[in-house]
Every structure is written in C-alpha cells, then in structure tokens.
Amino acid sequence: IRDLPPERILPAIFLLASKAEECVIDTGKLAAFFNMKPRQFIRLEMDVLEGLAFNLKIYHAKRPIEGFINRIRSKRGEANNTSSKRKMYTDKLKKRAIQLARDSYYADASLLFPPSQIGLACILIINRRMREERSADGKDFDDEHLDDEALIDACVPSPPSATTSSASSLSSSSSSWPQKRRRLLKQLDAVGVEIKRGEDLAVGYGKDETKNQLNQSALKILKRLQKCLNPLFNPESEEYKRLQREKKRKRDEEESAQNKREQEEDRRREAKLLGAGEEDDDKPFVLHRNDDFVPKRRKMELQLPPPPSFN
C-alpha cells in the first residue's frame, strides 16, 4: 500500500467502508468528489484489502428473508389466523425464496450485493412466479397474492408522515417515497438478473448429463496433469518407490549403527565396573580383616513425652 498513491487509496477506502456498512456510495459521485475517474480507485480495492490482510465473509440471505416474511405476515394480520390461505401462501413463498437464495451461490450475487437485497429480490421473484402460475391456471387473483408495490410496502415500510410538522415536509416525504420505491425495484431487478443466472447454473449442474460431462472433462485434465507432475511426489511412479526404498535403507543403517554404539558403550561400562583391563599378578583376591577397627559407641538419649496435666 505504501507504493500506491494516497489520493487514489482514499476513495477506495471510502468505497470499501460503504460496502461493509451496506450503504454503498455511487462510484460516479465519489469520483466527482475526488475529481478522478471511477476505474482509477475501483481497481485499488483488492490492493487495500490485501494490505489489511482481510478475511472475506459471506452471509446467507436466509435471515433477511425470514425477517421480510415476518413483516409481510404482520402487515396482513396472519398472526391471529394460523389456518388461513394467506399463511399457506407466505409459507410457500418463504420456502421457495430460501431455495432460490441457495441457488444464487452458483453465480456472483453474494459477492456483488448485500444479503438484504438478495433476500428481498428472491421474495420478489418468487412472488411474481406464483402470480404467473396462478394466472396460467386460469384463476383470478385474490387478496392472498401481492403485487410488487404492495410487497415492497410490506417489506420496506414507508417513513411515517405523521411525525412531520409542516405541510411542505408532508408533501415532500409522500412524493419522495414512490420515487425511492421505483429505484428500489430497479435495483432489485438488477439483483434478480444475477440470481437467475445462479439458478440456471444450479439447474444445469444438477443434471446427470452435465455431471457426467464435468467428470469426463476433469479426467481429461488429470491425465494431462499426470505428465506435468513431479514423479518424486507421485506414489505410483518408480522414482518415488525407489526414493522411498533408499530412505528406508538409510534409516535402517542409522538404526543399526546406533544400536552397535549403544552395545559397545554398555560393554565398556560393564568392564570398568568389573575391573577389566587392570594388570593381573596371578595372586588370589583376598579380603583382609582390620583388627584395629573399633566401632564408636553412640550415646542414646531417651526423650520421654511430658507428663499429662490434670488441671
């Protein structure tokens, strides 16, 4: 990082911080503020992350989906009626949205968008599909089905207008929310494109025919790599087996030499204890008695315990 220009690192740091807090700053506005082109600091994002020794964490969109579904249930009053068609609809919506979020991992959606947007986009896509399925069956829409705007209003409630005091603030807040909702729907459509790409890949990889093709391609690549591999690290090559035999032979020789050294050391130690190597005068080994030895008498002092007191 020290070799990079600071005036370009600073906007890259701002962009990364906004992504971490899920309030992404528009790169065009950021570039205009620092008077440079977006590509000049976007390409430095990875350099800044490597300098920070980062660990990439990807959060699943399951929790945002559950939160949005709870908001929909609260908005429609499903808590008091557990057997209604609305509850069955939202349960099915939740299950299919979570599965769609799992399929999105086959593409780059989790690397490009925050989990909240992925979760809301999954709910929006599944809701549209369920409406299309009902329309294909020739059935009319009832109150259990939601359109896009009603779904967004239930998941992302508009700011309360009752807290504002002046009439101008009331009109500005009421007029700004539809515009924000349209921008949000446009953003969710962009997220949905990447999610659908991941879904198509998941469907393609899940087919048996595709799995067989991938396995055959992998086997061809492995056969080509076998020629490039170092034979000394291939357990099936003759060079590897020969090297292992040579290592075993050297190891056995070292162990044998070590055992011989230990045996020789034991023999020298035993000979030293038995007096081997000293001159022999052919005389018998006799132990003589010392008549001048008089043992010393030890004074024994008898210590008695103190007499008991009868107080």
Side-chain angles (χ1 to χ4, degrees):
I1 295 181
R2 296 178 180 177
D3 299 333
L4 301 175
E7 63 274 7
R8 294 185 183 180
I9 293 179
L10 186 59
I13 292 175
F14 272 105
L15 184 60
L16 287 172
S18 66
K19 289 181 178 180
E21 297 297 331
E22 295 190 11
C23 57
V24 183
I25 303 175
D26 185 26
T27 55
K29 296 180 180 180
L30 194 62
F33 181 80
F34 287 95
N35 194 16
M36 62 176 62
K37 296 181 179 180
R39 64 173 181 271
Q40 292 178 335
F41 59 85
I42 290 177
R43 65 180 63 177
L44 297 179
E45 285 185 274
M46 188 57 64
D47 296 329
V48 174
L49 291 174
E50 290 178 354
L52 296 174
F54 75 103
N55 292 323
L56 182 61
K57 292 183 179 180
I58 298 177
Y59 295 96
H60 200 280
K62 179 180 179 181
R63 182 169 295 181
I65 290 175
E66 292 177 349
F68 290 136
I69 293 296
N70 291 334
R71 287 186 179 181
I72 294 174
R73 289 173 175 172
S74 177
K75 185 78 173 179
R76 305 174 72 183
E78 297 181 15
N80 299 328
N81 190 1
T82 57
S83 61
S84 63
K85 293 183 179 180
R86 291 184 176 183
K87 185 178 185 303
M88 297 173 59
Y89 177 81
T90 51
D91 290 341
K92 188 176 180 180
L93 180 64
K94 174 184 175 181
K95 183 178 179 180
R96 294 179 61 177
I98 292 176
Q99 182 60 43
L100 182 60
R102 292 173 180 170
D103 294 339
S104 68
Y105 281 98
Y106 284 90
D108 299 334
S110 59
L111 300 175
L112 299 175
F113 306 103
S116 57
Q117 293 185 8
I118 295 175
L120 188 55
C122 289
I123 293 176
L124 186 63
I125 292 172
I126 297 300
N127 182 67
R128 290 174 179 175
R129 290 180 182 177
M130 294 176 69
R131 288 172 60 86
E132 291 174 359
E133 292 171 359
R134 188 173 181 85
S135 176
D137 294 339
K139 298 179 181 180
D140 297 333
F141 297 108
D142 49 17
D143 58 349
E144 70 184 52
H145 293 81
L146 296 172
D147 57 1
D148 294 347
E149 294 184 357
L151 183 67
I152 295 299
D153 291 339
C155 295
V156 186
S158 60
S161 59
T163 56
T164 56
S165 57
S166 61
S168 60
S169 61
L170 281 171
S171 59
S172 62
S173 62
S174 60
S175 60
S176 62
W177 170 241
Q179 296 177 359
K180 292 181 179 179
R181 184 172 54 194
R182 286 193 295 270
R183 289 199 301 267
L184 179 59
L185 286 172
K186 185 178 180 180
Q187 174 66 17
L188 294 178
D189 290 337
V191 179
V193 172
E194 194 67 22
I195 292 175
K196 291 178 182 178
R197 191 170 74 88
E199 184 183 21
D200 295 337
L201 292 174
V203 173
Y205 288 137
K207 295 180 180 179
D208 294 336
E209 182 181 357
T210 305
K211 291 181 180 179
N212 294 332
Q213 292 177 357
L214 293 175
N215 291 332
Q216 293 177 1
S217 301
L219 290 176
K220 291 180 181 179
I221 295 173
L222 288 176
K223 289 181 180 179
R224 294 179 181 178
L225 290 176
Q226 289 295 332
K227 301 178 181 179
C228 304
L229 294 176
N230 190 347
L232 297 178
F233 297 100
N234 186 9
E236 298 181 357
S237 63
E238 294 296 332
E239 291 83 355
Y240 179 85
K241 295 177 182 179
R242 180 180 55 80
L243 181 62
Q244 295 299 319
R245 288 194 298 268
E246 185 68 20
K247 290 182 178 179
K248 185 177 183 303
R249 185 183 61 80
K250 291 183 179 180
R251 187 166 56 250
D252 294 341
E253 291 178 354
E254 292 177 357
E255 291 179 357
S256 179
Q258 181 68 20
N259 293 333
K260 289 181 179 179
R261 287 193 295 268
E262 292 177 356
Q263 292 175 3
E264 186 66 25
E265 184 68 24
D266 292 340
R267 283 196 295 268
R268 287 198 300 266
R269 190 180 298 109
E270 184 179 358
K272 185 177 180 180
L273 291 175
L274 297 177
E278 297 181 357
E279 296 181 359
D280 191 3
D281 52 0
D282 296 333
K283 295 181 180 180
F285 184 74
V286 181
L287 294 177
H288 299 280
R289 180 180 178 181
N290 188 4
D291 297 331
D292 298 333
F293 175 73
V294 178
K296 296 181 179 180
R297 295 183 178 180
R298 296 182 181 180
K299 295 181 179 181
M300 301 296 292
E301 295 182 359
L302 183 60
Q303 295 182 358
L304 299 176
S309 60
F310 299 96
N311 294 334

